[in-house]
Amino acid sequence: MSAFVLLTLTGLGLAALYFLIASGLALIFGLMDVLNFAHGAFLTVSAYAAWRTAEAIGGMTGLLAAVVTGTLTGLLLAVVVERVLIRRLYGRVKEQILVTVGLSLAIPALVQAYWGADSRPFPVPEALAGTVPVLGASVPVNRFVLIAAAVAVLIGVQLFLSRTRYGLIVRAGVEDRSMVTALGVDVTKAFTLIFALGGALAGLAGVLAGLYFGSLSPHQGTSLLIFAFVVVIIGGMHSLTGVALSALAVGLVQQYTNYYVAGGFGDFAVVILLAVVILARPAPGRRSPVQWLRERTTAPRPPTAGAAAPSTGGQA
């Protein structure tokens, strides 16, 4: 029982981390149609900026300052990338992919060249380094920090998109950009704000990834980005709630499989989950396996050989 509780809460913490990364991806693609492969690079740079801040100050104050530094670093980096590169490429999907993939390779390489390829220990305050007993299991305190952060981000972003002026402008601009522009609204600024928000979420995820794993490395953002893409594909690009539920499923499946099946098999289980969801999801012009199975099980049976043929008319 204690092992199951520990696995569940650890899986929820990992799911929270995946959601923080994937939510930025979903925002940028779902509202701007930009597939940002450099999202993991934003996370890496922010994590290193937060690490330097936490080391310089130390303690809980250092961690709080690291959260602010990491979030602002991700935000500023996203604004620079959007204004210098992405703004010229709206509607040009191939060029967007080429540019963001190039950034995803170049930025971690620059980080590695400056700080080295070795992992760096992330300074964790004593208050968050211990464990708390939950139903007989000793659960690390930082798991609850990640869960609380993910819930706060989910609620905050949903309120921003549905209750604020800029959120409504962005949603309207996605539907009909020319009409909103004709009304005198600068949609470009609103899109920059969304890209900045996605970068800020990547920065926050970078700080909390250091807290979760206890270390950071130049390519940590790239490896986490793979699972974030899986989460977004399963949950859907246009639904933050779907992304949250998808992150929950991925985190728990990964943890349970690693423990109950075999260590390291959790990544393969996530791929299987992704394949099952994609195959079961209906697509235009193609029936899903569920629809095919339903048609097969409800189809009328052909008449047996000995059955009498139905009458088609009267006798002559």
Side-chain angles (χ1 to χ4, degrees):
M1 180 63 181
S2 61
F4 179 78
V5 171
L6 178 60
L7 287 171
T8 300
L9 291 176
T10 302
L12 290 176
L14 184 61
L17 178 60
Y18 287 159
F19 169 74
L20 290 171
I21 306 170
S23 59
L25 276 177
L27 277 176
I28 293 173
F29 183 82
L31 296 177
M32 300 171 60
D33 285 331
V34 175
L35 195 56
N36 182 22
F37 286 93
H39 201 71
F42 297 170
L43 185 151
T44 297
V45 174
S46 302
Y48 272 85
W51 163 67
R52 293 294 296 172
T53 303
E55 270 202 339
I57 300 175
M60 184 62 73
T61 304
L63 179 61
L64 294 176
V67 169
V68 175
T69 302
T71 304
L72 288 178
T73 300
L75 186 150
L76 293 175
L77 187 58
V79 169
V80 171
V81 169
E82 195 276 337
R83 291 180 67 90
V84 175
L85 298 173
I86 302 300
R87 182 171 295 186
R88 296 172 170 81
L89 302 177
Y90 285 128
R92 298 160 61 184
V93 179
K94 293 180 180 179
E95 288 84 350
Q96 291 173 4
I97 293 176
L98 290 174
V99 168
T100 56
V101 167
L103 290 174
S104 72
L105 298 174
I107 293 176
L110 291 174
V111 172
Q112 179 174 325
Y114 187 80
W115 276 298
D118 296 334
S119 297
R120 304 283 183 140
F122 191 88
V124 179
E126 292 185 7
L128 301 180
T131 60
V132 293
V134 179
L135 299 177
S138 297
V139 182
V141 178
N142 56 42
R143 289 357 182 212
F144 298 101
V145 175
L146 268 79
I147 294 171
V151 172
V153 166
L154 175 60
I155 296 173
V157 173
Q158 293 279 32
L159 290 176
F160 169 77
L161 292 177
S162 60
R163 301 293 179 87
T164 66
R165 178 175 179 270
Y166 269 105
L168 296 175
I169 288 174
V170 169
R171 292 166 62 189
V174 171
E175 296 296 330
D176 194 337
R177 182 170 182 171
S178 59
M179 177 64 70
V180 175
T181 303
L183 294 175
V185 178
D186 191 351
V187 181
T188 303
K189 289 183 179 179
F191 281 6
T192 302
L193 178 62
I194 292 299
F195 208 88
L197 179 59
L201 292 175
L204 176 61
V207 182
L208 296 179
L211 189 65
Y212 183 92
F213 296 111
S215 63
L216 67 160
S217 62
H219 298 283
Q220 189 175 70
T222 304
S223 59
L224 288 172
L225 184 65
I226 296 173
F227 291 103
F229 270 120
V230 171
V231 166
V232 171
I233 292 171
I234 293 175
M237 292 285 190
H238 303 278
S239 171
L240 272 184
T241 304
V243 170
L245 295 175
S246 173
L248 189 65
V250 170
L252 291 175
V253 165
Q254 196 171 17
Q255 290 295 313
Y256 290 150
T257 307
N258 280 333
Y259 183 81
Y260 290 113
V261 180
F265 197 75
D267 295 351
F268 184 62
V270 170
V271 175
I272 294 175
L273 176 64
L274 173 64
V276 169
V277 171
I278 291 177
L279 291 175
R281 182 179 292 162
R286 178 176 64 86
R287 293 174 299 173
S288 70
V290 175
Q291 292 174 325
W292 179 86
L293 183 61
R294 185 182 295 115
E295 291 175 2
R296 288 291 181 180
T297 54
T298 59
R301 295 182 178 180
T304 58
S311 174
T312 58
Q315 294 181 349

